[in-house]
Amino acid sequence: MDNHCPSLRYNPDMRYRVFLFEGEVDNGVGIPGNVDWASAGIKFCGEETDGDTALPEIGSTQPDILIKDIEMPFMDGLQLRKVVRESIPRVKTICLGGRDESRCAQSAVKPGGTGFRLKPVSYQDLINSYEKLSAALDRDTQEREDLKLL
């Protein structure tokens, strides 16, 4: 797994906040544990390992992007996504899971999802996913502004 920061397009204003809901951060199975979020232009706003503690934190940080694991204690990533989208409809998600978790792959293509990523996810794949979601958030913002003008 490549955890080093490659040459990236830097986003100095770090427009979009990312929240990580993943239980395997430190053991190398899920998200690389030493991601330098700020160097990638990402405003990292929080991390939790179960749904009971994640919901209040997500509510207070209001992330734009939720990176979530499927298999989590108390509330899985799909349940969390549903609850979060009720209060933050604009939130975009990156779904993480193992080979046996195809239900997330199907759910991830619904509105608010960007796709299913197999764990372990590489640093570059994580950044590529973030950049795709940033572009989608930019489009959403532009569409809202255009509607206001009409």
Side-chain angles (χ1 to χ4, degrees), residues 17-124:
R17 296 172 308 276
V18 172
F19 189 92
L20 177 62
F21 177 61
E22 213 265 327
E24 300 174 317
V25 175
D26 294 328
N27 68 11
V29 176
I31 298 291
N34 61 350
V35 172
D36 185 353
W37 300 97
S39 291
I42 299 170
K43 183 176 182 179
F44 188 73
C45 66
E47 170 184 342
E48 288 294 337
T49 59
D50 71 65
D52 286 347
T53 55
L55 280 176
E57 188 72 20
I58 290 169
S60 67
T61 60
Q62 294 286 303
D64 302 295
I65 298 172
L66 176 62
I67 301 172
K68 62 190 179 52
D69 196 347
I70 285 191
E71 297 299 325
M72 298 294 291
F74 306 111
M75 179 184 292
D76 70 28
L78 297 177
Q79 293 167 321
L80 180 76
R81 177 179 176 233
K82 182 178 179 186
V83 171
V84 169
R85 287 200 39 90
E86 289 173 4
S87 61
I88 313 172
R90 71 179 177 352
V91 73
K92 303 291 184 193
T93 60
I94 300 170
C95 188
L96 306 175
R99 295 193 188 281
D100 297 333
E101 294 158 338
S102 62
R103 68 186 176 111
C104 182
Q106 295 168 355
S107 174
V109 297
K110 293 179 182 177
T114 187
F116 178 74
R117 301 294 183 257
L118 262 186
K119 296 189 301 183
V121 62
S122 72
Y123 178 85
Q124 190 59 54

